């Protein structure tokens, strides 16, 4: 549920994935503005040292730097309902549709449709 943070985590993961897609596409009109924001955030943070107290620019600037680092690869998506997984030795793409609490197994469907659900065998 939303109170557990699952929904917020899903939205954050989806936002990072969307931004990565837009940054990687040179043809996207979003490419240059996003690269400029990410470059400014990361180069601004490069001047920080371990003895700094607080974060220059406050919470918003800290969030911008952490978001930029996530888009650049500092975020690895956790297994979650709706997330993608690579299955088997061949790495077949699948979508996670069930994750029983406490289990080390998940149920997947081999479909990219977000409305997909497991079908009885």
């Amino acid at each position: 549920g939303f109170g557990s943070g699952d929904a917020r985590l899903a939205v954050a993961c989806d936002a990072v994935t969307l931004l990565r897609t837009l940054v990687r596409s040179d043809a996207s009109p979003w490419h240059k503005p996003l690269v400029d924001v990410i470059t400014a955030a990361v180069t601004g943070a490069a001047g920080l040292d371990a003895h700094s107290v607080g974060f220059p620019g406050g919470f918003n600037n800290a969030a911008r730097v952490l978001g930029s680092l996530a888009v650049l690869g500092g975020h690895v998506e956790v297994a979650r309902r709706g997330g993608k997984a690579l299955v088997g030795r061949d790495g077949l793409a699948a979508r996670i549709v069930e994750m029983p609490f406490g289990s080390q197994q998940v149920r997947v469907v081999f479909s990219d449709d977000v409305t997909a659900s497991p079908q009885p065998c």
Side-chain angles (χ1 to χ4, degrees), residues 80-95:
R80 63 180 175 90
R81 282 187 308 258
K84 291 187 177 180
L86 299 178
V87 180
R89 291 183 183 168
D90 296 333
L92 297 173
R95 185 167 300 280

Side-chain angles (χ1 to χ4, degrees), residues 47-73:
L48 298 177
D49 62 39
H51 305 291
S52 297
V53 177
F55 201 95
F59 175 80
N60 288 339
N61 196 40
R64 186 175 293 117
V65 171
L66 292 175
S68 296
L69 293 174
V71 171
L72 291 173

